[in-house]
Amino acid sequence: MSEEVLLAECDGVLEVTINRPEQRNAMTKVAAAGIAAAMDRLESADHLRCAILTGAGGSFCAGMDLKGFLNGELPVDERGGFGGICTWTPGKPIIAAVDGPALAGGFELALACDLIVANKNARFGIPEVKRGLVAAGGGLVQLPRLLPRALAMELALTGEPIGAERALELGLINRVTDGPAVEVARELARAIAANGPLALAASKGIVRDSWLWPIDRINEHQTPYVEHVFTSEDAREGARAFAEKRTPVWKGR
């Protein structure tokens, strides 16, 4: 793992930190590969239940490293896209903990996660048009799905950012905190990690993939996500633990 991406584990949660604070964690090819590798680790390790993605030094990510871009570098992973995560994510949940700027590709990284916690001074935006570029890491696709079209268009065409409180009002993020975002992200992660892993993966998959399911075929599309969950050992353990008034012991099977 590169020093541009730091990993730590605690109680089933993988913390992934972009570690380029002097460059406001601007994304490089090396950092993108590091995040992609961390996502592979999350996916394959049974003891890991979810992840937190954050940035070092009071910034989340200021987008693509423009110096690298001028040298012909694109900070993308072949499978995961920009930052190693924008076109593929693991089945397990990911929380973005945002301090300072989450701009351009940084905003797209946050949107690629499943939940977003932000410090009150965080800023979100896709200012690519100000540099003659396009928010092609998912921002122009995700924002019209998450916001009214007029608001998504304004963010895309003006390139102006919005603050954390406005992002919360619009439903783009989950929490705003006075302190470091990672502290509240850890609270959310603990709440997630306490739940059944098969149920978590199925729930995330349905929420993410059901955008285009026709209403009359929801059960047809949903069944492959859930049928193994209802027949699993974990489902029986969850019911048994509830009846016995104890904490479930999940097996992930």
Side-chain angles (χ1 to χ4, degrees), residues 181-243:
V182 72
E183 294 179 359
V184 174
R186 287 169 180 156
E187 294 176 8
L188 271 176
R190 284 193 292 270
I192 290 169
N195 297 322
L198 296 180
L200 287 173
S203 298
K204 169 176 172 171
I206 292 168
V207 170
R208 278 184 163 266
D209 298 344
S210 60
W211 289 100
L212 300 178
W213 293 355
I215 195 70
D216 60 343
R217 296 177 64 189
I218 285 178
N219 287 338
E220 173 188 341
H221 286 286
Q222 182 173 258
T223 296
Y225 292 80
V226 303
E227 57 186 350
H228 68 288
V229 177
F230 284 94
T231 59
S232 68
E233 291 182 34
D234 276 359
R236 295 186 63 81
E237 167 63 9
R240 189 180 297 112
F242 177 80

Side-chain angles (χ1 to χ4, degrees), residues 16-204:
V16 184
T17 303
I18 309 166
N19 188 39
R20 306 188 73 234
E22 294 181 358
Q23 293 79 32
R24 297 195 301 169
N25 299 316
M27 187 57 52
T28 64
K29 182 80 171 177
V30 170
I35 293 173
M39 295 303 106
D40 285 334
R41 181 170 176 174
L42 174 66
E43 185 82 331
S44 63
D46 290 341
H47 69 285
L48 294 174
R49 301 292 172 82
C50 65
I52 296 171
L53 177 63
T54 191
S59 295
F60 182 70
C61 175
M64 177 172 63
D65 187 313
L66 293 178
K67 292 181 180 178
F69 172 71
L70 290 173
N71 290 326
E73 177 184 289
L74 291 176
V76 300
D77 172 75
E78 183 175 345
R79 178 192 60 187
F82 180 87
I85 196 177
C86 285
T87 57
W88 178 89
T89 70
K92 300 173 184 178
I94 308 166
I95 304 168
V98 178
D99 298 296
L103 300 173
F107 192 11
E108 291 169 319
L109 281 179
L111 291 174
C113 297
D114 304 297
L115 298 153
I116 302 175
V117 175
N119 175 270
K120 64 182 180 180
N121 295 319
R123 292 179 296 122
F124 301 89
I126 46 173
E128 280 87 346
V129 290
K130 292 178 178 288
R131 303 290 180 264
L133 299 170
V134 174
L140 295 177
V141 176
Q142 294 292 342
L143 286 174
R145 293 177 172 182
L146 299 170
L147 296 174
R149 180 178 179 274
L151 290 175
M153 194 68 80
E154 181 177 341
L155 289 173
L157 299 184
T158 67
E160 293 296 325
I162 58 174
E165 292 291 350
R166 179 60 171 152
L168 183 67
E169 290 173 2
L170 294 172
L172 286 173
I173 67 177
N174 299 84
R175 304 277 194 281
V176 174
T177 176
D178 290 336
V182 72
E183 294 179 359
V184 174
R186 287 169 180 156
E187 294 176 8
L188 271 176
R190 284 193 292 270
I192 290 169
N195 297 322
L198 296 180
L200 287 173
S203 298
K204 169 176 172 171

